[in-house]
Amino acid sequence: MTDAMLDTPIRVQRQTVSSRVALTVSVLFLIAMVSMPWWASPGKIRWAIEFSCYLAIAQMWNLLAGYAGLVSVGQQAFIGVSGYALFVLSLNFGVNPFLAAGLCLVVPAILSVPTYVLLHRLDGPYFAIGTWVVAEVFRLLTSNIDYLNNGAGLTLRVMAGYDLHQRNVGMISLSALLLLVTVGGSYWLLRSRHGLALTAMRDDPVSAASQGVNVKRLRFLIYVAAAVGSGFAGAVYYMAQLRITPFSGYDPNWATVCIFIVMVGGIGHIEGSIIGALVYFFADRFFSQYGATYLVVLGVLTLLIALYARGGIWGYFARVVDAPWFPIGRKLIRLKP
Amino acid sequence: MQWLDASIQGILLGGMYAQYALGMALMFGVMRIVNISHGDLVILLALIGISISSAFHIAPLALIFILVPIAALMGWALQRVILNRVVGEDPLPSLIATFGLSIALQNLMLQIWSADTRSLPGGGLAAASFNIGGIYLGVLPILVLATAICLTGGLDFVIRFTRFGRALRAAAADTAAAAVTGVNARSVYAMATAIAVGILGIAAVFQAMRVTVAPADGPAQLIYAFEAVIIGGMGSIWGAFAGSMVLGVSQAIGFRIDPGWGILLGHIVFLIVLATRPQGLMTRK
Amino acid sequence: MSENEPILSTHGLIAGYGDFQALFSVDFEIAAGEIVALIGANGAGKSTFLSAIMGLLPVQRDMVRLDGEPAGGTPAHTMVRKGIAIVLEGRRLFTGMTVEDNLRVAIDNGRAVDAGSKEPAWTLERLYELFPILGEKRRTQVENLSGGQQQMVAIGRALLCQPRVLLCDEISLGLAPRVIREIYQVMPSIADAGTALVLVEQDVRLAQSASRRLYCMLEGRITLTGKSGDIHRDDIARAYFGTKHAVA
């Protein structure tokens, strides 16, 4: 580089046209969502809440698998345990359920620590099954504890204290907050200096470590964050369901859902989670009536994507067009003197 | 006395788990692949066996000779069509691929066989037992354990002393070096998976005779196999056997304490082993 | 096949890794029983060249010829059956297995020598005569051997594939001078048995003294070739390091 080049002022550009559009759309979407109780039917509001939960959980899985390199098939452990914590706080301690949805997150946060300590020495696939075992342990323990009403589950009767409109406002607001925290939070994280470390870790953990990235600590923090994020989604979801049982709360199907969403949408990209969640959500609405056959197709699609199209839909799109919605790169623009 | 009885029943139960664990130890220890559909394959074979048995009135033990070739073929096809494409450094593709396969298989079985539980009529064998010093030992469980011991010994022998076993270990140690020594890794892997799933053909018959099977049972068997392999130490065939014994005994004792605690105690023992000795009970190095 | 026809040859060989091209139109040939050296600095493409011949890299069929027949891109395990063996850089032994097991893999999967042919086949006994220490240590796990002993196992493993052409990739790397001498001493006897030897080395003196002909590579191209005894050091230096006067 010549001295002349060094003296030239440079601007760092982080937003692109596509991302400005996406950001605007996102903000409008969130505003529209929060306003739904005033113009949408209860059925559609339920849709919005469920979609938010799928997207949130998937994005947490994306963070784990796509950046930290931790493949988990046991996030349902934290989904269920948060749901239960919410119900217990509301039913047994009289806490306002909408407040409890935030307070209950202490539980997944705390439980994720010994879980990670136990599992992190396991090799990739064994780590995955280990997370499943932990989820099963949570489920079995819950089924065996009288305080949690064993296998019969709990019902969120306190919600009867609010009318339908109030419940919808509360839940949709929580859903919007959920999206802000999980999807928005991921984006914020990836844009920060931690994001660079994460992307480096995704591409090559050994090189990243040699560059000073504390890979172990970062992985641990991501695991805890993902547990809390999944837990938040679980709390919102089961609040909307009004009922939780060990069977539903710790359902391994949650793992199926987030793996499908992230793989089909595109792993390692926030855009991928969104696309995948949309695909899954609408496929579920239209095709789940076909029962087992629909799930066979889901499984086969996941298999095919893993074999032939590991980048998913967004991966394919990104190769053709450079128009990110959530850009995390930095472009150097030389300003004319 | 009650605990001795529980321990013995646990060992017999371990014989069943060993038959699941062997195939998994082979596939992961050698190829570093975990096949998430491992448990579903057992259930699939069991359901196929049950259907064949009721259609053609074949005795359960004779059924083994029909199921094993079917199972071996399944394993070979699985490796050739799916797993050979995902063998490599990155564990994610094989995990996701076999996860998708697992979901597809479970629901396919649900479509074909419905959720009803089924089993193989064991005739006198399932009920027969003999009494040693006040403890009842079922003939079937003893047969299962004996089979497990033979399979473990046989597999260990094959891996250590045969041409195929050496080629497999070589390919697992360094695929490129094996290739330049004349080993066709893809064929060897396909053969290994054929063996791993072939063993499941035997396990399927015993499982169906021992208890009822239903399409959703796969994941549970996968987890038992996995726990047995981890407790016993990854990469060791006799270790997988030992781990199965520990798991079986833990579950049996758990059941004696409280029926709801059977499986749970197995999980807890697994977690304790994980916390204290992550390399398992028996390690090669 | 006439006696003058090369047993192995490459013609305009091009190869690379993904978008990166490592070899640019390399011509090479070796006759049965000949010892040929390939020298060049790090990154010149020597290992890539051997890998390309061996089928470890995708290569067009006609660019590599064995006995005059196109053989480029044949998978490695098939090349072994056809009579090419390689001692890989870094030895690459099968860890967790004993010396004898490492060697047995070669015996099990190597080229089949006709029972009736007059070729003296390599056997464990012959190999243990060549490298007695291996006989002593045959039940030892290979990770517990010294560097020199490991190199002997690697060579032995390649020999037990009954090669007609043996490719040796920097077998002197990381070894003490005494051990290097010991290993290079056996090369002539291997060649006398009819096996062609390609010796890739960074050490020019060693390569020159051990071979009859040599090639020099730089940045994926052959920059010099000729009889080892006739080439002067200055020519080699130019071809090795590349200067304005490099011979085309």
Side-chain angles (χ1 to χ4, degrees):
Chain A
M1 275 176 69
T2 63
D3 286 339
M5 284 173 78
L6 283 170
D7 286 337
T8 315
I10 292 178
R11 179 168 61 89
V12 178
Q13 180 187 308
R14 308 200 60 181
Q15 295 295 344
T16 65
V17 172
S18 59
S19 78
R20 275 184 240 275
V21 169
L23 223 49
T24 315
V25 169
S26 305
V27 171
L28 289 174
F29 174 78
L30 282 178
I31 294 176
M33 196 167 107
V34 175
S35 68
M36 275 178 97
W38 285 274
W39 54 264
S41 68
K44 291 294 184 290
I45 294 178
R46 279 295 289 271
W47 276 30
I49 296 173
E50 279 178 23
F51 174 77
S52 308
C53 293
Y54 292 155
L55 177 52
I57 293 171
Q59 180 49 27
M60 292 298 94
W61 194 88
N62 196 3
L63 212 55
L64 273 175
Y67 286 90
L70 297 169
V71 181
S72 162
V73 290
Q75 289 307 92
Q76 60 268 23
F78 305 114
I79 295 172
V81 93
S82 289
Y84 264 92
L86 165 72
F87 278 48
V88 165
L89 279 173
S90 307
L91 293 171
N92 298 9
F93 293 96
V95 178
N96 177 315
F98 301 107
L99 201 58
L103 288 174
C104 72
L105 298 180
V106 169
V107 178
I110 292 180
L111 287 176
S112 63
V113 176
T115 304
Y116 185 75
V117 168
L118 269 178
L119 297 178
H120 78 281
R121 275 171 298 193
L122 287 176
D123 226 353
Y126 278 0
F127 174 86
I129 303 186
T131 60
W132 198 344
V133 173
V134 168
E136 283 297 292
V137 170
F138 282 21
R139 183 177 67 83
L140 287 168
L141 278 174
T142 309
S143 304
N144 281 327
I145 296 179
D146 291 334
Y147 183 71
L148 298 174
N149 209 14
N150 294 309
L154 299 169
T155 310
L156 202 57
R157 270 176 263 103
V158 298
M159 291 295 267
Y162 305 92
D163 68 37
L164 183 61
H165 183 81
Q166 284 174 314
R167 289 207 298 271
N168 282 339
V169 170
M171 288 195 296
I172 201 83
S173 306
L174 279 174
S175 303
L177 184 61
L178 174 67
L179 287 180
L180 215 55
V181 166
T182 53
V183 181
S186 299
Y187 183 44
W188 170 82
L189 183 68
L190 288 170
R191 277 177 58 112
S192 69
R193 63 185 175 91
H194 301 295
L196 281 177
L198 274 172
T199 312
M201 218 166 80
R202 174 187 69 181
D203 290 338
D204 190 333
V206 177
S207 306
S210 73
Q211 292 293 309
V213 174
N214 192 337
V215 173
K216 277 187 170 167
R217 204 172 72 115
L218 206 49
R219 279 211 178 115
F220 169 65
L221 290 174
I222 296 287
Y223 187 79
V224 174
V228 171
S230 307
F232 194 3
V236 173
Y237 187 85
Y238 288 104
M239 178 188 281
Q241 297 280 68
L242 295 175
R243 196 164 152 58
I244 191 169
T245 66
F247 187 72
S248 67
Y250 300 103
D251 191 353
N253 200 47
W254 281 116
T256 312
V257 169
C258 48
I259 290 178
F260 177 82
I261 289 179
V262 174
M263 293 307 294
V264 166
I267 191 170
H269 299 276
I270 297 176
E271 298 90 338
S273 304
I274 296 177
I275 293 176
L278 284 167
V279 170
Y280 175 77
F281 188 74
F282 287 109
D284 196 48
R285 299 301 109 160
F286 290 133
F287 299 121
S288 60
Q289 53 182 303
Y290 296 110
T293 314
Y294 159 66
L295 287 168
V296 174
V297 172
L298 212 67
V300 171
L301 270 177
T302 307
L303 167 63
L304 291 175
I305 297 255
L307 289 182
Y308 299 114
R310 293 181 197 172
I313 294 176
W314 183 258
Y316 179 75
F317 182 69
R319 263 189 284 149
V320 176
V321 176
D322 182 28
W325 301 347
F326 294 92
I328 56 178
R330 290 156 176 80
K331 240 198 262 204
L332 289 179
I333 313 249
R334 194 152 21 115
L335 297 172
K336 295 196 180 17
Chain B
M1 182 61 168
Q2 203 199 20
W3 302 114
L4 180 64
D5 182 39
S7 304
I8 293 179
Q9 302 308 328
I11 289 178
L12 295 175
L13 180 61
M16 189 71 247
Y17 292 157
Q19 295 187 24
Y20 298 151
L22 286 177
M24 177 167 277
L26 181 60
M27 287 181 72
F28 190 72
V30 170
M31 290 178 279
R32 315 219 78 75
I33 288 182
V34 166
N35 174 13
I36 303 260
S37 64
H38 189 79
D40 304 294
L41 290 172
V42 172
I43 302 299
L44 177 62
L45 288 163
L47 288 172
I48 291 177
I50 292 172
S51 296
I52 292 180
S53 165
S54 63
F56 299 106
H57 303 290
I58 300 180
L61 294 183
L63 199 57
I64 290 180
F65 294 99
I66 300 179
L67 276 187
V68 169
I70 294 178
L73 195 62
M74 258 191 218
W76 185 88
L78 175 65
Q79 185 69 33
R80 278 268 153 181
V81 174
I82 297 177
L83 296 182
N84 265 342
R85 275 177 232 274
V86 289
V87 172
E89 287 307 309
D90 187 5
L92 186 68
S94 70
L95 252 172
I96 305 295
T98 53
F99 186 83
L101 181 64
S102 169
I103 300 296
L105 279 177
Q106 279 178 55
N107 288 283
L108 198 62
M109 289 190 277
L110 204 55
Q111 276 291 81
I112 299 177
W113 280 282
S114 88
D116 298 337
T117 59
R118 292 174 166 73
S119 70
L120 268 178
L125 199 59
S129 67
F130 43 95
N131 191 329
I132 294 188
I135 298 179
Y136 281 91
L137 297 173
V139 170
L140 180 60
I142 290 187
L143 188 59
V144 170
L145 180 63
T147 310
I149 294 175
C150 292
L151 285 172
T152 308
L155 189 61
D156 190 58
F157 180 85
V158 164
I159 289 186
R160 281 214 254 179
F161 299 114
T162 64
R163 184 195 143 132
F164 165 72
R166 276 191 295 268
L168 190 60
R169 281 186 289 149
D174 189 330
T175 313
V180 302
T181 316
V183 173
N184 183 344
R186 293 180 114 85
S187 301
V188 159
Y189 288 163
M191 183 69 161
T193 309
I195 292 177
V197 182
I199 294 177
L200 290 184
I202 301 175
V205 170
F206 283 129
Q207 176 74 351
M209 285 172 75
R210 205 173 63 88
V211 293
T212 59
V213 294
D217 290 348
Q221 318 311 320
L222 169 75
I223 288 183
Y224 301 148
F226 158 74
E227 289 180 326
V229 171
I230 297 282
I231 293 175
M234 294 186 266
S236 166
I237 298 293
W238 277 108
F241 182 85
S244 311
M245 295 297 116
V246 172
L247 183 65
V249 170
S250 306
Q251 287 190 358
I253 291 182
F255 272 116
R256 281 304 156 93
I257 296 175
D258 182 303
W261 276 81
I263 312 286
L264 188 55
L265 193 59
H267 290 331
I268 290 176
V269 167
F270 161 74
L271 290 175
I272 291 176
V273 171
L274 207 57
T276 57
R277 273 202 66 159
Q279 69 271 36
L281 299 175
M282 273 170 81
T283 38
R284 260 196 263 139
K285 291 175 188 79
Chain C
M1 184 183 89
S2 76
E3 273 177 9
N4 291 326
E5 199 173 288
I7 187 173
L8 173 71
S9 56
T10 71
H11 306 262
L13 179 59
I14 292 175
Y17 303 94
D19 290 333
F20 174 74
Q21 185 171 356
L23 298 176
F24 298 85
S25 196
V26 173
D27 290 331
F28 173 94
E29 62 179 37
I30 184 168
E34 224 193 335
I35 304 184
V36 171
L38 177 58
I39 60 176
N42 254 338
K46 312 187 296 296
S47 291
T48 309
F49 175 70
L50 294 186
S51 295
I53 293 176
M54 200 61 205
L56 293 170
L57 290 176
V59 159
Q60 278 180 45
R61 265 189 77 69
D62 204 46
M63 288 182 181
V64 178
R65 288 196 208 138
L66 188 57
D67 299 323
E69 297 296 320
T74 311
H77 63 267
T78 311
M79 283 305 251
V80 171
R81 304 281 154 77
K82 291 188 191 236
I84 317 253
I86 185 170
V87 183
L88 290 168
E89 191 184 348
R91 287 151 233 154
R92 308 278 290 272
L93 297 180
F94 305 128
T95 49
M97 293 168 71
T98 61
V99 167
E100 189 150 305
D101 273 353
N102 264 263
L103 299 174
R104 281 206 181 278
V105 175
I107 296 175
D108 296 335
N109 299 285
R111 182 174 71 104
V113 177
D114 299 328
S117 96
K118 292 198 204 71
E119 270 182 66
W122 284 98
T123 60
L124 277 178
E125 290 73 40
R126 252 185 90 195
L127 190 71
Y128 291 151
E129 270 172 52
L130 197 62
F131 297 125
I133 188 77
L134 293 190
E136 284 168 47
K137 298 224 172 221
R138 58 186 194 257
R139 304 217 187 286
T140 317
Q141 302 245 314
V142 292
E143 348 24 313
N144 297 330
L145 297 174
S146 72
Q149 291 161 355
Q150 287 184 352
Q151 193 62 281
M152 292 178 197
V153 176
I155 295 173
R157 192 176 62 180
L159 286 175
L160 286 166
C161 292
Q162 316 299 342
R164 294 186 296 140
V165 182
L166 179 61
L167 312 172
C168 296
D169 199 350
E170 301 209 44
I171 54 185
S172 67
L173 211 56
L175 299 183
R178 184 182 55 79
V179 179
I180 297 176
R181 265 198 305 277
E182 217 180 299
I183 289 180
Y184 266 83
Q185 251 155 34
V186 308
M187 292 300 161
S189 60
I190 295 175
D192 288 340
T195 310
L197 287 176
V198 178
L199 301 173
V200 165
E201 280 296 346
Q202 280 187 52
D203 182 339
V204 176
R205 219 179 21 89
L206 184 60
Q208 254 188 311
S209 58
S211 64
R212 207 183 61 154
R213 275 192 307 125
L214 73 73
Y215 289 81
C216 183
M217 273 182 86
L218 174 67
E219 288 171 5
R221 293 174 174 83
I222 301 284
T223 45
L224 178 65
T225 178
K227 281 206 170 28
S228 306
D230 294 346
I231 298 181
H232 293 292
R233 214 186 312 156
D234 302 335
D235 297 324
I236 292 181
R238 274 196 292 269
Y240 197 102
F241 297 107
T243 67
K244 289 190 288 257
H245 308 292
V247 178

